[in-house]
Amino acid sequence: DIGCGNGKYLSTNPKVWMHGCDRSPNLLQHCTANKHDVLVADALELPYKSSAFDAAISIAVIHHLSTEERRVAALKEALRVVRPGGVLLVYNWALEQEGCTHSRTRESWGC
């Protein structure tokens, strides 16, 4: 979970190993108190090997980045850590932003 915050989605399926990262050490304290596997990390520079995960989620994170360039960079970085054929689910609010309502594939982001 990229941008896991308080770890809300880290316990959705106890049969699956889940890992979270967030820039906020304060939010991650809630995760560690609940025994979640987390670390402090920036979505623009994830500390994982390429293709390290079968799937990843990033919910309500990308719209917090200040520019389109930073948003695209975060999406490319998320795609980098998901194996080819894996799944990346990104969900955002802020629908008023132009150009942010269309679905795009890995290829259309240049990955």
Side-chain angles (χ1 to χ4, degrees), residues 14-57:
K15 295 179 181 179
V16 175
W17 174 76
M18 298 204 192
H19 173 75
C21 62
D22 200 282
R23 286 192 62 181
S24 172
N26 291 337
L27 285 172
L28 292 179
Q29 286 179 0
H30 296 282
C31 297
T32 55
N34 289 313
K35 309 231 185 296
H36 294 307
D37 182 26
V38 295
L39 59 81
V40 175
D42 189 321
L44 296 172
E45 195 172 335
L46 296 170
Y48 311 113
K49 293 179 182 179
S50 296
S51 303
F53 299 98
D54 293 328
I57 63 173

Side-chain angles (χ1 to χ4, degrees), residues 81-97:
V81 301
V82 175
R83 68 169 172 78
V87 176
L88 173 63
L89 171 68
V90 178
Y91 197 82
N92 293 294
W93 323 152
L95 294 177
E96 72 277 5
Q97 296 173 356

